[in-house]
């Protein structure tokens, strides 16, 4: 089932998410719905807060950017309770976008090498060293679990320049070709 993507301005995107336990109800169904939602909106990653749940669950399918970034080819992940360890402090700047911030793409500096520890969809512990754009996608999605958006990591000048666009997302004036949920209207 396709789920609406919660947009910038919604408080669910700003909360820290909770660890997921093996008793989590209908995890398999939720993961399938998250993949369906991600594919329908042509994203390469989706974190649970983006579908309105503050739970530490991320889905990634980086294959669509595999031509440009070979490390992404055929890489599909379900990350439960992921943890990132930075292996190399040097940062590289590349453009990012986010399904929760439609119509915006900005440069973000991130480290290129990480060690990722996580539970897979069967709750089996996994660990892998990742690099390049794949490491970037993972960092972007794991930021969502902390209530952080990539636009928090751009320069104040850039943030100022996209203020108008961000405001139109918050006020529900942005068009989106996938189902979305806007921020609740503020009470006057
Ligand atoms: Zn995002």
């Amino acid at each position: 089932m396709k789920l609406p993507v919660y947009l910038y301005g919604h408080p669910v995107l700003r909360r820290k998410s909770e660890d997921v336990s093996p008793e989590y109800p209908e995890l398999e169904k939720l993961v399938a719905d998250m993949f369906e939602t991600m594919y329908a909106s042509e994203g390469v990653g989706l974190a649970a807060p983006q579908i309105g749940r503050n739970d530490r669950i991320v889905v990634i399918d980086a294959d669509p950017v595999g031509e440009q970034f070979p490390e992404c080819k055929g890489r599909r992940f379900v990350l439960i309770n992921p943890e990132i360890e930075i292996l190399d402090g040097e940062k590289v700047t590349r453009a990012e976008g986010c399904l929760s911030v439609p119509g915006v793409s900005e440069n973000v500096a991130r480290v290129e090498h990480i060690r990722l520890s996580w539970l897979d969809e069967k709750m089996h512990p996994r660990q892998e060293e990742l690099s390049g754009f794949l490491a970037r996608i993972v960092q972007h999605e794991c930021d969502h679990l902390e209530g952080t958006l990539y636009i928090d990591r751009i320069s104040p000048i850039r943030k100022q320049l996209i203020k108008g666009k961000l405001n139109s997302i918050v006020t529900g004036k942005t068009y989106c070709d996938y189902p979305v949920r806007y921020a609740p209207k503020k009470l006057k």
Side-chain angles (χ1 to χ4, degrees):
M1 189 177 66
K2 220 188 297 173
L3 306 167
V5 175
Y6 285 59
L7 295 190
Y8 175 78
H10 200 291
V12 76
L13 294 172
R14 290 310 196 176
R15 288 183 208 122
K16 194 173 153 64
S17 288
E18 303 274 339
D19 270 342
V20 168
S21 76
E23 294 80 39
Y24 192 90
E26 297 190 57
L27 180 63
E28 203 178 323
K29 161 107 176 82
L30 178 66
V31 165
D33 287 348
M34 285 177 69
F35 272 116
E36 192 181 335
T37 304
M38 183 187 76
Y39 289 132
S41 45
E42 293 179 12
V44 291
L46 186 73
Q50 296 181 274
I51 47 112
R53 292 198 193 208
N54 285 119
D55 300 317
R56 300 183 84 81
I57 305 169
V58 165
V59 299
I60 290 171
D61 189 341
D63 191 60
V65 294
E67 283 298 306
Q68 201 182 349
F69 306 105
E71 67 275 18
C72 293
K73 232 173 227 167
R75 299 310 312 266
R76 192 175 185 271
F77 295 85
V78 176
L79 307 178
I80 316 278
N81 305 340
E83 305 256 1
I84 290 175
E85 187 191 331
I86 291 166
L87 296 178
D88 181 349
E90 200 186 326
K91 288 186 174 176
V92 171
T93 299
R94 279 194 189 280
E96 292 184 23
C98 180
L99 295 176
S100 294
V101 193
V104 175
S105 174
E106 290 292 324
N107 280 329
V108 185
R110 293 195 192 267
V111 298
E112 283 271 277
H113 304 287
I114 60 168
R115 181 179 294 126
L116 177 67
S117 308
W118 76 101
L119 300 173
D120 65 17
E121 62 269 51
K122 305 255 188 288
M123 300 303 267
H124 293 151
R126 306 271 301 266
Q127 194 177 73
E128 191 179 334
E129 287 181 16
L130 303 174
S131 58
F133 204 75
L134 189 57
R136 174 176 297 272
I137 296 171
V138 167
Q139 290 173 75
H140 175 119
E141 297 311 328
C142 290
D143 267 356
H144 277 297
L145 305 180
E146 302 302 322
T148 300
L149 299 172
Y150 83 94
I151 49 169
D152 302 340
R153 299 186 178 278
I154 68 177
S155 71
I157 295 163
R158 288 302 313 169
K159 187 109 191 220
Q160 191 60 34
L161 287 170
I162 61 167
K163 215 172 156 190
K165 281 187 183 174
L166 294 179
N167 273 338
S168 42
I169 300 172
V170 173
T171 52
K173 293 189 187 87
T174 298
Y175 170 77
C176 241
D177 57 6
Y178 45 92
V180 295
R181 185 142 303 163
Y182 292 99
K185 291 236 167 11
K186 285 213 173 70
L187 297 172
K188 291 249 164 64

